Each structure stands twice: as structure tokens, then as C-alpha cells.
Amino acid sequence: MATARGFRIALLANDGFSKLLATGLTAVFAIQAFVIIGGVTRVIPLTGVTLPFVSYGGSSVVANFVLVALLLLVSDRARREASEPAGREAVSFEPLYDTR
């Protein structure tokens, strides 16, 4: 479920960097979940990868919260750009006259 939302965020993003960032972060989360689920069901051997948001160690939990925070930032930016009126452009700080 989380991976589907992450990939949907990647589709909503407007610029290439945001698309790649959201796709990469979602892939990291999906691979981590796949390894844990595969290890629990004995499809693959267990490794030292911790379960997202459930592990006892602090570094894994912090890393996963950073991952989610970056996805939320990309999602918020994409939604704000999508909701801007079409005729309204971003404010430009270019001078009105040539100073040369």
C-alpha cells in the first residue's frame, strides 16, 4: 500500500528530479519490506535488515522517517503546483529595465 502511494507521488511530480527522488525512495522502502516479508515467510533467508517503523534501533526508525518526510515534501510540492491557477505564473525577480 505504501509503495503504491509512493509511486503515485512520483507520477504527480512535475520535474524530473522529484520523480526520480520519489521513485528511488519508494523503491528503497519496497525492497526493505520485501526482504522482511520474504524472511518471515521463509521464502528468502533472514538478513540484518530491520522492519520499517517497528525496529528497536533508533537509526533505522530515523532513516525511515526521513524517507517519508522527503516523500511528503515531494507530494506537497506537486499538489501545490497542480492547484495553482493556470494563468498565474510564479513571481519573477528580474529587473524591469536593463541596468547595463
Side-chain angles (χ1 to χ4, degrees):
M1 187 69 148
T3 56
R5 287 190 174 259
F7 287 130
R8 188 166 43 166
I9 290 170
L11 288 173
L12 288 174
N14 294 327
D15 60 317
F17 178 75
S18 296
K19 286 182 185 289
L20 286 174
L21 181 67
T23 302
L25 293 173
T26 304
V28 167
F29 189 77
I31 289 169
Q32 192 176 17
F34 171 75
V35 167
I36 296 302
I37 292 169
V40 169
T41 58
R42 298 185 188 256
V43 174
I44 59 175
L46 284 176
T47 62
V49 179
T50 56
L51 187 63
F53 307 114
V54 181
S55 66
Y56 185 71
S59 61
S60 176
V61 173
V62 170
N64 283 314
F65 276 124
V66 168
L67 184 143
V68 170
L70 289 171
L71 279 172
L72 285 172
L73 286 172
V74 170
S75 175
D76 183 56
R77 183 177 176 193
R79 290 182 189 275
R80 284 180 192 250
E81 289 176 358
S83 66
E84 285 181 358
R88 210 166 204 191
E89 297 297 323
V91 176
S92 176
F93 293 106
E94 296 175 11
L96 296 176
Y97 55 92
D98 191 14
T99 58
R100 290 185 256 173

PDB file of all heavy atoms in Angstrom, residues 35-49:
ATOM      1  N   VAL A  35      12.226  -7.787   1.723  1.00  0.00           N
ATOM      2  CA  VAL A  35      13.204  -8.638   2.402  1.00  0.00           C
ATOM      3  C   VAL A  35      12.644  -9.143   3.724  1.00  0.00           C
ATOM      4  O   VAL A  35      12.792 -10.324   4.069  1.00  0.00           O
ATOM      5  CB  VAL A  35      14.536  -7.868   2.602  1.00  0.00           C
ATOM      6  CG1 VAL A  35      15.448  -8.597   3.559  1.00  0.00           C
ATOM      7  CG2 VAL A  35      15.222  -7.656   1.271  1.00  0.00           C
ATOM      8  N   ILE A  36      11.974  -8.279   4.474  1.00  0.00           N
ATOM      9  CA  ILE A  36      11.416  -8.691   5.753  1.00  0.00           C
ATOM     10  C   ILE A  36      10.268  -9.680   5.565  1.00  0.00           C
ATOM     11  O   ILE A  36      10.203 -10.720   6.223  1.00  0.00           O
ATOM     12  CB  ILE A  36      10.949  -7.469   6.564  1.00  0.00           C
ATOM     13  CG1 ILE A  36      12.135  -6.603   6.915  1.00  0.00           C
ATOM     14  CG2 ILE A  36      10.205  -7.889   7.817  1.00  0.00           C
ATOM     15  CD1 ILE A  36      13.211  -7.294   7.702  1.00  0.00           C
ATOM     16  N   ILE A  37       9.362  -9.393   4.653  1.00  0.00           N
ATOM     17  CA  ILE A  37       8.234 -10.298   4.416  1.00  0.00           C
ATOM     18  C   ILE A  37       8.726 -11.635   3.872  1.00  0.00           C
ATOM     19  O   ILE A  37       8.259 -12.701   4.286  1.00  0.00           O
ATOM     20  CB  ILE A  37       7.211  -9.646   3.460  1.00  0.00           C
ATOM     21  CG1 ILE A  37       6.551  -8.463   4.154  1.00  0.00           C
ATOM     22  CG2 ILE A  37       6.164 -10.655   3.004  1.00  0.00           C
ATOM     23  CD1 ILE A  37       5.726  -7.594   3.236  1.00  0.00           C
ATOM     24  N   GLY A  38       9.702 -11.592   2.974  1.00  0.00           N
ATOM     25  CA  GLY A  38      10.270 -12.838   2.457  1.00  0.00           C
ATOM     26  C   GLY A  38      10.980 -13.644   3.526  1.00  0.00           C
ATOM     27  O   GLY A  38      10.928 -14.876   3.528  1.00  0.00           O
ATOM     28  N   GLY A  39      11.648 -12.961   4.464  1.00  0.00           N
ATOM     29  CA  GLY A  39      12.318 -13.669   5.543  1.00  0.00           C
ATOM     30  C   GLY A  39      11.347 -14.290   6.528  1.00  0.00           C
ATOM     31  O   GLY A  39      11.560 -15.402   7.014  1.00  0.00           O
ATOM     32  N   VAL A  40      10.274 -13.575   6.823  1.00  0.00           N
ATOM     33  CA  VAL A  40       9.281 -14.102   7.769  1.00  0.00           C
ATOM     34  C   VAL A  40       8.548 -15.308   7.180  1.00  0.00           C
ATOM     35  O   VAL A  40       8.257 -16.284   7.869  1.00  0.00           O
ATOM     36  CB  VAL A  40       8.285 -12.993   8.178  1.00  0.00           C
ATOM     37  CG1 VAL A  40       7.094 -13.550   8.923  1.00  0.00           C
ATOM     38  CG2 VAL A  40       9.000 -11.949   9.015  1.00  0.00           C
ATOM     39  N   THR A  41       8.263 -15.261   5.891  1.00  0.00           N
ATOM     40  CA  THR A  41       7.567 -16.379   5.246  1.00  0.00           C
ATOM     41  C   THR A  41       8.528 -17.472   4.780  1.00  0.00           C
ATOM     42  O   THR A  41       8.100 -18.429   4.143  1.00  0.00           O
ATOM     43  CB  THR A  41       6.746 -15.875   4.044  1.00  0.00           C
ATOM     44  OG1 THR A  41       7.629 -15.216   3.121  1.00  0.00           O
ATOM     45  CG2 THR A  41       5.658 -14.919   4.487  1.00  0.00           C
ATOM     46  N   ARG A  42       9.811 -17.313   5.087  1.00  0.00           N
ATOM     47  CA  ARG A  42      10.871 -18.277   4.767  1.00  0.00           C
ATOM     48  C   ARG A  42      11.044 -18.509   3.265  1.00  0.00           C
ATOM     49  O   ARG A  42      11.419 -19.598   2.835  1.00  0.00           O
ATOM     50  CB  ARG A  42      10.650 -19.587   5.500  1.00  0.00           C
ATOM     51  CG  ARG A  42      10.689 -19.411   6.992  1.00  0.00           C
ATOM     52  CD  ARG A  42      10.585 -20.728   7.702  1.00  0.00           C
ATOM     53  NE  ARG A  42      10.448 -20.493   9.117  1.00  0.00           N
ATOM     54  CZ  ARG A  42      11.432 -20.668   9.991  1.00  0.00           C
ATOM     55  NH1 ARG A  42      12.601 -21.074   9.576  1.00  0.00           N
ATOM     56  NH2 ARG A  42      11.217 -20.447  11.265  1.00  0.00           N
ATOM     57  N   VAL A  43      10.748 -17.495   2.473  1.00  0.00           N
ATOM     58  CA  VAL A  43      10.999 -17.568   1.038  1.00  0.00           C
ATOM     59  C   VAL A  43      12.471 -17.255   0.758  1.00  0.00           C
ATOM     60  O   VAL A  43      13.090 -17.863  -0.105  1.00  0.00           O
ATOM     61  CB  VAL A  43      10.078 -16.593   0.276  1.00  0.00           C
ATOM     62  CG1 VAL A  43      10.402 -16.541  -1.195  1.00  0.00           C
ATOM     63  CG2 VAL A  43       8.631 -16.965   0.495  1.00  0.00           C
ATOM     64  N   ILE A  44      13.021 -16.315   1.498  1.00  0.00           N
ATOM     65  CA  ILE A  44      14.442 -15.965   1.400  1.00  0.00           C
ATOM     66  C   ILE A  44      15.040 -16.021   2.814  1.00  0.00           C
ATOM     67  O   ILE A  44      14.322 -15.904   3.805  1.00  0.00           O
ATOM     68  CB  ILE A  44      14.643 -14.569   0.776  1.00  0.00           C
ATOM     69  CG1 ILE A  44      13.942 -13.493   1.597  1.00  0.00           C
ATOM     70  CG2 ILE A  44      14.187 -14.528  -0.662  1.00  0.00           C
ATOM     71  CD1 ILE A  44      14.195 -12.083   1.100  1.00  0.00           C
ATOM     72  N   PRO A  45      16.366 -16.206   2.914  1.00  0.00           N
ATOM     73  CA  PRO A  45      16.964 -16.241   4.255  1.00  0.00           C
ATOM     74  C   PRO A  45      16.884 -14.870   4.930  1.00  0.00           C
ATOM     75  O   PRO A  45      16.936 -13.829   4.273  1.00  0.00           O
ATOM     76  CB  PRO A  45      18.412 -16.633   3.995  1.00  0.00           C
ATOM     77  CG  PRO A  45      18.606 -16.673   2.539  1.00  0.00           C
ATOM     78  CD  PRO A  45      17.304 -16.471   1.857  1.00  0.00           C
ATOM     79  N   LEU A  46      16.753 -14.882   6.244  1.00  0.00           N
ATOM     80  CA  LEU A  46      16.694 -13.635   7.001  1.00  0.00           C
ATOM     81  C   LEU A  46      18.035 -12.921   6.957  1.00  0.00           C
ATOM     82  O   LEU A  46      19.085 -13.549   6.974  1.00  0.00           O
ATOM     83  CB  LEU A  46      16.315 -13.905   8.457  1.00  0.00           C
ATOM     84  CG  LEU A  46      14.859 -14.210   8.720  1.00  0.00           C
ATOM     85  CD1 LEU A  46      14.660 -14.560  10.183  1.00  0.00           C
ATOM     86  CD2 LEU A  46      14.000 -13.024   8.365  1.00  0.00           C
ATOM     87  N   THR A  47      17.983 -11.600   6.911  1.00  0.00           N
ATOM     88  CA  THR A  47      19.195 -10.784   6.947  1.00  0.00           C
ATOM     89  C   THR A  47      19.071  -9.797   8.100  1.00  0.00           C
ATOM     90  O   THR A  47      18.109  -9.827   8.855  1.00  0.00           O
ATOM     91  CB  THR A  47      19.367 -10.006   5.624  1.00  0.00           C
ATOM     92  OG1 THR A  47      18.259  -9.130   5.470  1.00  0.00           O
ATOM     93  CG2 THR A  47      19.455 -10.946   4.437  1.00  0.00           C
ATOM     94  N   GLY A  48      20.006  -8.890   8.192  1.00  0.00           N
ATOM     95  CA  GLY A  48      20.004  -7.922   9.271  1.00  0.00           C
ATOM     96  C   GLY A  48      19.190  -6.682   8.981  1.00  0.00           C
ATOM     97  O   GLY A  48      19.309  -5.683   9.679  1.00  0.00           O
ATOM     98  N   VAL A  49      18.345  -6.678   7.967  1.00  0.00           N
ATOM     99  CA  VAL A  49      17.529  -5.518   7.641  1.00  0.00           C
ATOM    100  C   VAL A  49      16.400  -5.413   8.659  1.00  0.00           C
ATOM    101  O   VAL A  49      15.730  -6.396   8.967  1.00  0.00           O
ATOM    102  CB  VAL A  49      16.951  -5.639   6.211  1.00  0.00           C
ATOM    103  CG1 VAL A  49      16.092  -4.446   5.879  1.00  0.00           C
ATOM    104  CG2 VAL A  49      18.072  -5.777   5.202  1.00  0.00           C
TER     105      VAL A  49
END
